[in-house]
Structures are given as structure tokens and as C-alpha cells.
Amino acid sequence: MGSQNIDSGSLIVLHCIIHQEALCAKTINFQHVTNIPVKAVNFIWSRGLNHREFQQSMADIDAEYSDVKYFCEVMWLSKAGMLKRAYDLLEEIELFLDMKGDAIPELRDKEWRCDLAILVDITDCLSALNVRLQGKDQLINEMFSLIKGFQIKLRVWESQIRNQNPAHFPTLKNHDTSNLQYQKYGDKLAVLREEFSERFGDLKKHSQAIEVFASPFSVDVTAIPEDIQMEIIELQCNDELRKKFDESSVYQFYKKHVSVTVYPKLSAHARKK
């Protein structure tokens, strides 16, 4: 592991992680899929009468859901909830549009439905990641761990899909998988994986600095910059502080237990996170 410069005197500057994740999500580019449910949902919501009639039709057949979700383009990840609801109500939406004389042929197409199914699964995963990234009091090391974990998941998903294994795509598994275009889906996941790698490259560059902050008692002293090595050695040999670290959150540990006088460089480093 090569040493990275840990400058305790300046802040680490990163692009907004949550915004970068949302931009990654936009690269999936399943426009031929998303345009159809967006068109259908917008038709239902476009007039009050259409919307009320659709809600009533859901009530009449005792559907699991009573309505479809409106899609806001500004909040891209709102698409995840809209797509899932649209998928679950495909039959009802198709029936309603037929009744209104505004049928959409794609809703009956098996390949298009499979494309929608995997898109539902992918956007659901992206949305779940987005929610976790917005958790309260998130520190940079926690967000970095979430991004690293998701990138590993993408590699696993891509490999499995290319090997005709949709194990982690529950919506897609509901379909006849004998004629699935696995390589096409693998290519989509590859694009998403590459986008994550590119957009979070600057975060990866700071991985060593983040490790020093998040795991000061287990970091390899010989692999970190010399200017902070002596403080880390002293810290790692302090059994009382090790116990405090195990019992506290990372934030509370640095705030309450790491002396600025004894560990000036480590304290300054922690303040950047």
C-alpha cells in the first residue's frame, strides 16, 4: 500500500457524494423503458377525472395499491418508487389505458417487461444506497464504506448476470428467464460500475487518510506518512484509549478522548472528516 500525503493543515475537498451517486444512477439509460411508465403515469395524473377513475378502478378490483406514484424528473431517484409501483400495477394500468382508448403496445411486450423488471431492481438498489448515504450524522468513512460496498456488489451482479444468474434481481426472476438478454443487462451494469469508479475516484485517492481516521488502532503504521506515525504508535499502545474507541462512535472518540495536546496531528486530521 503506497503512502498518501496526509496534510493535517488543510481540509479534504470532495464533490457531494450523494449528488455524485444520483448522477451515476442517470447513466443506466433505459429510456425506452422509463418513457413508457412515465407516459402512462403522467396520463393518469394529467386530468383529475383520469386520476379519480383510476383510483376507483383500483378500489373496484381490490388492488394491493390504490394509486400510481407521480414521477418528478428533478428528483431522479423518485423514479425508483414510481417504476416499482408501475410494475406492480402493469395489468391494471394496461386495462385502464385500453378502456380510455390510449393503449400502449409496449406494455404487452415480453422483452420490454423484462427490461422494466431489471430496471426496477437496479433503481431500487440505487435508491436504497441513496437513503443510507443521507443517514443522520454520517461521517466520510461511513459513506466511503457504503460506496465501496456498492461497487463490489456491482461487480458481483455483473458477473452473475453475464453467467445467466439473476439471483439478486428479485423482480427479474419473476419472468421467464430462458430468453433473457443477459449480456445486454451485463453491459448496463458495467456502464454503471465504470461510472461509479470514475466519479468516486477522488474519494478512493483519500482511502488511506480515511483509514487512519476510521481505524487508527488497526492501520499499518509502516504504510502511513511519517509525519503521523509516532502519534499513531502511541495511540495504538494506549490500552485505555483502545477501550474508549471500542465503546464509542468514531465522532465521540475524537471529540471526547483524543487530546489535541498529546495528538495534535491526529486531532487536526480528524477535524477534516
Side-chain angles (χ1 to χ4, degrees):
M1 181 177 182
S3 294
Q4 299 168 345
N5 181 37
I6 298 179
D7 180 3
S8 59
S10 60
L11 292 175
I12 291 177
V13 179
L14 298 169
H15 295 293
C16 175
I17 292 175
I18 296 172
H19 180 59
Q20 292 296 312
E21 188 257 352
L23 291 176
C24 286
K26 288 190 174 184
T27 66
I28 299 173
N29 192 23
F30 261 112
Q31 286 299 109
H32 74 287
V33 179
T34 57
N35 286 344
I36 302 305
V38 168
K39 178 181 177 181
V41 170
N42 287 348
F43 174 80
I44 292 170
W45 277 82
S46 62
R47 298 183 181 86
L49 179 60
N50 284 348
H51 190 204
R52 289 191 298 273
E53 287 179 343
F54 183 76
Q55 288 177 313
Q56 184 58 51
S57 68
M58 294 299 96
D60 290 344
I61 62 174
D62 195 25
E64 180 180 357
Y65 300 113
S66 61
D67 204 353
V68 288
K69 289 189 175 183
Y70 189 71
F71 168 55
C72 174
E73 182 64 42
V74 175
M75 297 294 291
W76 191 91
L77 285 171
S78 71
K79 184 178 291 186
M82 183 277 293
L83 288 174
K84 180 66 168 68
R85 184 66 58 85
Y87 176 86
D88 290 339
L89 292 174
L90 269 182
E91 305 301 332
E92 291 82 0
I93 291 172
E94 181 184 344
L95 182 63
F96 181 76
L97 294 178
D98 286 347
M99 181 185 71
K100 299 295 289 186
D102 198 39
I104 300 178
E106 286 85 350
L107 295 178
R108 297 185 177 90
D109 185 88
K110 290 183 179 180
E111 182 180 336
W112 181 87
R113 287 191 173 209
C114 287
D115 288 352
L116 174 61
I118 193 170
L119 186 60
V120 166
D121 289 331
I122 293 173
T123 55
D124 185 57
C125 292
L126 286 164
S127 181
L129 173 62
N130 187 266
V131 170
R132 294 187 68 185
L133 287 172
Q134 295 186 60
K136 186 179 179 181
D137 298 327
Q138 289 271 26
L139 296 176
I140 185 64
N141 61 294
E142 296 166 327
M143 301 179 83
F144 185 42
S145 294
L146 289 172
I147 293 297
K148 284 196 301 180
F150 194 79
Q151 288 177 297
I152 294 171
K153 289 178 182 179
L154 284 170
R155 288 198 294 271
V156 172
W157 294 338
E158 180 190 345
S159 175
Q160 290 178 333
I161 280 291
R162 292 193 187 280
N163 286 301
Q164 303 185 16
N165 177 9
H168 297 290
F169 297 90
T171 311
L172 184 63
K173 283 200 301 183
N174 288 331
H175 291 263
D176 178 6
T177 59
S178 58
N179 295 312
L180 284 183
Q181 298 186 38
Y182 285 103
Q183 294 308 311
K184 178 179 75 172
Y185 298 150
D187 291 343
K188 292 291 185 181
L189 289 168
V191 169
L192 186 58
R193 173 179 52 77
E194 290 165 3
E195 187 70 13
F196 263 82
S197 179
E198 181 177 343
R199 286 197 175 275
F200 292 105
D202 59 340
L203 188 60
K204 187 175 181 180
K205 291 176 184 177
H206 296 291
S207 59
Q208 187 183 80
I210 293 171
E211 183 183 8
V212 170
F213 167 71
S215 305
F217 288 95
S218 59
V219 68
D220 181 1
V221 176
T222 64
I224 63 176
E226 295 172 352
D227 66 336
I228 202 169
Q229 285 179 333
M230 297 302 102
E231 288 189 14
I232 293 295
I233 291 173
E234 287 190 29
L235 185 79
Q236 291 181 349
C237 292
N238 189 316
D239 293 337
E240 184 62 27
L241 283 181
R242 183 184 292 271
K243 182 179 178 182
K244 295 292 185 183
F245 183 81
D246 292 339
E247 295 173 347
S248 309
S249 67
V250 174
Y251 174 76
Q252 290 298 326
F253 174 72
Y254 283 103
K255 181 180 180 181
K256 293 183 177 181
H257 306 299
V258 178
S259 168
V260 176
T261 303
V262 179
Y263 304 101
K265 292 184 180 297
L266 182 58
S267 297
H269 178 64
R271 286 195 295 271
K272 296 189 293 179
K273 307 300 178 290

